[in-house]
Amino acid sequence: MKIILGQYIPRVSFVHQLDPRVKLCLMGLGIGFVFQVRSWAGLCLFILSCCLITIGSSIAIKRLGQGIRPFLWLFVFTAILHLFMTPGDPLPYVPYATQQGMQHGLIVGLQLTCAIWLSTLMTLTTSPLDMVWALEWFLRPLKYLKVPVEEIALLVMLAIRFIPLLFEETDRIVKAQKARGIDIESGGLMRRVKALLPVLIPLLQGMLRRSDDLAVALTLRGYTPGMPRTISKNISIRPRDMITLVACAAIWLAFLWM
């Protein structure tokens, strides 16, 4: 299983050159707006806007789909829950299912898809250092409350970066254990749980080893918690950044009234 969320793909595109603070703000606004859209017209237009943003990022939609595909089970599970738990008119030939539940489930599934879509685009078009700097900038007012803003931003970035590593490590260990003849897919529930031990123990060991290597790398680069750090490039909001932010917010706000 290949996870795209958390990876950065360098490109020369309009979205890549946007200010990281603007991209982070657009991601938050987009996720907030999409969960407020209730009509099919507004949702379809929102998906169209996501496609246009993807084209502006020079990221292939097929590659972006690889990042959304692992979350399909979440979309399907959410849609099924709404199908059987939303009151309304009964659906023919499907016990306990309702027409309103089917419609609501499809809408929520597409809303979750758009949320993952925007989050994946954010990580694909923003370098880890720029993402940490943008998070620190937004959390800067919390410094007056003695909140360790720099450490929080660094932890969030590292957590995002470890997502694809975790899945790749799990996939590698599962394939290695299957090659050794360990069956982890057949049998009852307790048998499957016990069969997962040969996967979980090496996975935990590998993650601890990677964490130790990361700690050594940060130490060698002179990282000291609580000490102010500088950035290698000057990042400033340009007129096109503000125009993009205002235009996207206005367009998404219009979708709510459809």
Side-chain angles (χ1 to χ4, degrees):
M1 182 183 296
K2 188 175 182 180
I3 301 296
I4 303 299
L5 181 65
Q7 297 181 0
Y8 170 61
I9 302 177
R11 292 281 193 278
V12 179
S13 69
F14 177 80
V15 177
H16 279 77
Q17 295 174 357
L18 286 176
D19 189 284
R21 294 167 293 183
V22 172
K23 287 189 281 188
L24 190 61
C25 186
L26 284 174
M27 183 191 71
L29 287 175
I31 294 175
F33 278 133
V34 72
F35 282 106
Q36 298 300 320
V37 176
R38 293 292 182 265
S39 65
W40 282 105
L43 191 57
C44 290
L45 289 175
F46 193 94
I47 295 175
L48 178 61
S49 68
C50 291
C51 293
L52 294 177
I53 295 174
T54 304
I55 294 174
S57 66
S58 297
I59 301 294
I61 295 182
K62 180 180 179 180
R63 183 168 187 131
L64 186 65
Q66 294 176 355
I68 300 177
R69 191 182 307 156
F71 299 95
L72 287 177
W73 66 269
L74 176 62
F75 309 148
V76 174
F77 180 73
T78 304
I80 292 176
L81 282 181
H82 283 85
L83 176 64
F84 292 100
M85 300 185 67
T86 302
D89 301 327
L91 197 65
Y93 308 111
V94 183
Y96 306 107
T98 62
Q99 298 178 7
Q100 289 79 2
M102 181 177 65
Q103 180 178 355
H104 195 198
L106 291 175
I107 290 177
V108 172
L110 290 175
Q111 288 173 338
L112 288 173
T113 303
C114 291
I116 299 296
W117 191 336
L118 293 175
S119 302
T120 305
L121 270 180
M122 173 65 189
T123 59
L124 290 178
T125 60
T126 310
S127 66
L129 292 178
D130 289 346
M131 193 181 304
V132 170
W133 182 81
L135 285 173
E136 290 181 5
W137 190 86
F138 279 109
L139 297 175
R140 192 173 297 171
L142 296 178
K143 284 186 177 181
Y144 299 102
L145 301 177
K146 305 299 181 180
V147 177
V149 172
E150 292 84 0
E151 286 72 21
I152 293 176
L154 181 62
L155 287 176
V156 172
M157 188 273 294
L158 292 178
I160 295 175
R161 295 291 293 172
F162 260 76
I163 290 175
L165 294 177
L166 179 63
F167 279 88
E168 289 176 5
E169 188 77 7
T170 303
D171 186 60
R172 184 184 65 82
I173 294 174
V174 169
K175 290 180 179 178
Q177 298 294 12
K178 286 183 178 180
R180 294 182 175 94
I182 298 178
D183 186 9
I184 61 176
E185 296 181 351
S186 61
L189 179 61
M190 294 303 298
R191 179 183 175 86
R192 292 186 180 184
V193 172
K194 293 179 179 179
L196 286 177
L197 290 178
V199 176
L200 295 178
I201 294 177
L203 178 62
L204 180 60
Q205 181 182 6
M207 289 296 102
L208 291 176
R209 185 180 64 254
R210 288 178 181 269
S211 300
D212 185 66
D213 294 341
L214 178 62
V216 173
L218 290 175
T219 302
L220 293 177
R221 286 169 173 79
Y223 173 76
T224 303
M227 294 294 293
R229 301 187 301 275
T230 59
I231 57 177
S232 59
K233 59 182 178 179
N234 184 22
I235 303 178
S236 59
I237 295 182
R238 295 160 296 182
R240 69 173 183 178
D241 296 323
M242 293 304 301
I243 293 174
T244 303
L245 178 61
V246 173
C248 290
I251 293 173
W252 287 339
L253 184 61
F255 294 163
L256 300 179
W257 302 98
M258 293 184 177

